[in-house]
Amino acid sequence: MTWEPNPEQRAAVEARGEVFVSAGAGTGKTAVLVERFVRAVCDDGLDVDSILVITYTRKAAGELRARIRQALLSRNRPDAARGLDGAWISTIHGFCNRLLRAYPFAAGLDPRFRELDEPQAAVLRGEAFEEALAAFCAGGEPERLRLLVAYGGARLRRMLIGIYETLRAAGRPLVLELGEAAPLEERVEELREAARSLAGDVKGTPTQRENASALCVLLEGGPVPDRLLDLSAFRARGERAAGYEEARKRLEQAAIVSSQGA
């Protein structure tokens, strides 16, 4: 079946030069990328291996590669479809890994380097947290020591790492400094709205909707401030839950700061 783009999708496909497209979940971003790739090969004559495509996950990269292959075959370009096995379609980590393996000496690396796996990353995160926490409490300031006593090292570590991951994704550093009390009620309302939206999203997964619904129940009425410090039990993964997750982590951060100002 031939894909028929809507006006916005057609504009994104046909745009030339430097193009930035902002679109939400379910708006056809992948279909647009597939069409742009295929047109670049079939209409503009570009080689498959001269196009770079970066995705967020390996699963998304595999899906994108498969859809591009099918589209090329439907346009009678089996040669180009075969070339996709070596195409530059991957996550940013996969791209960097492939590039550095091709030119390790130019990058000043040992050719035997390997990508850090999750267990090793967890160890390094733990060591980095311990060093940062020691530096944070080195001055013996009462407010900082109370933070550690009140929430415990493990709980504080879990909350701060979650906040750090959110900030890192936004290109912002995590600064371990106590500031003015955050607008907790505003953050509660922000998360309440995000949770209601996700709970009613018919395209969301059952887990996303269930966790969002459970959080709605918690946030109704007057939620206990201490309960807002750790909302990881209501975590929801996936693109459709991105806004919900950001709101959840912002509320946790606001609750931490607010508790210190109380």
Side-chain angles (χ1 to χ4, degrees):
M1 184 173 62
T2 303
W3 176 61
E4 290 295 336
N6 60 36
E8 290 80 9
Q9 292 168 337
R10 182 176 293 105
V13 168
E14 297 176 351
R16 292 294 179 265
E18 295 184 2
V19 181
F20 176 81
V21 177
S22 177
T27 55
K29 295 187 299 296
T30 301
V32 167
L33 285 175
V34 170
E35 187 65 18
R36 284 182 65 90
F37 190 107
V38 172
R39 289 193 184 189
V41 173
C42 298
D43 300 343
D44 300 336
L46 295 181
D47 292 330
V48 166
D49 60 4
S50 69
I51 304 174
L52 173 63
V53 181
I54 299 296
T55 67
Y56 284 107
T57 67
R58 292 174 180 171
K59 180 180 179 181
E63 178 187 353
L64 188 58
R65 190 187 303 270
R67 291 177 62 171
I68 291 174
R69 178 177 284 110
Q70 185 59 41
L72 288 171
L73 290 174
S74 69
R75 301 192 190 192
N76 297 317
R77 288 298 305 273
D79 57 321
R82 287 192 296 270
L84 285 176
D85 291 335
W88 294 84
I89 304 174
S90 69
T91 63
I92 186 65
H93 296 84
F95 166 71
C96 292
N97 183 64
R98 181 175 172 181
L99 188 64
L100 292 173
R101 287 204 177 281
Y103 306 101
F105 296 115
L109 295 175
D110 186 329
R112 296 169 298 180
F113 82 89
R114 59 191 178 86
E115 188 177 345
L116 190 68
D117 59 28
E118 183 53 34
Q120 292 173 318
V123 171
L124 292 179
R125 279 198 300 268
E127 293 175 350
F129 176 82
E130 294 299 331
E131 291 179 8
L133 186 60
F136 182 66
C137 298
E141 297 177 38
E143 294 83 359
R144 300 188 180 205
L145 296 178
R146 278 202 304 271
L147 178 68
L148 180 59
V149 172
Y151 307 120
R155 188 177 183 187
L156 185 61
R157 171 182 171 179
R158 184 171 62 252
M159 290 188 292
L160 287 178
I161 287 178
I163 294 168
Y164 166 72
E165 290 176 347
T166 300
L167 293 174
R168 183 181 62 175
R172 298 167 56 191
L174 171 63
V175 180
L176 289 175
E177 294 291 345
L178 297 177
E180 295 296 325
L184 186 60
E185 289 305 317
E186 292 182 19
R187 294 304 189 196
V188 169
E189 183 58 30
E190 177 185 51
L191 180 55
R192 184 181 289 125
E193 290 301 316
R196 287 171 178 167
S197 177
L198 183 61
D201 187 349
V202 295
K203 293 185 178 180
T205 67
T207 299
Q208 288 174 342
R209 296 196 301 271
E210 289 169 7
N211 286 357
S213 296
L215 189 53
C216 283
V217 174
L218 174 68
L219 296 178
E220 289 303 328
V224 179
D226 286 349
R227 186 64 183 86
L228 303 178
L229 294 169
D230 183 6
L231 300 172
S232 57
F234 304 97
R235 183 184 295 112
R237 303 183 185 279
E239 185 177 359
R240 304 194 73 83
Y244 167 87
E245 274 297 286
E246 290 176 5
R248 182 184 66 81
K249 292 176 181 179
R250 281 196 294 267
L251 176 54
E252 287 181 336
Q253 185 180 21
I256 293 172
V257 177
S258 180
S259 66
Q260 291 305 300

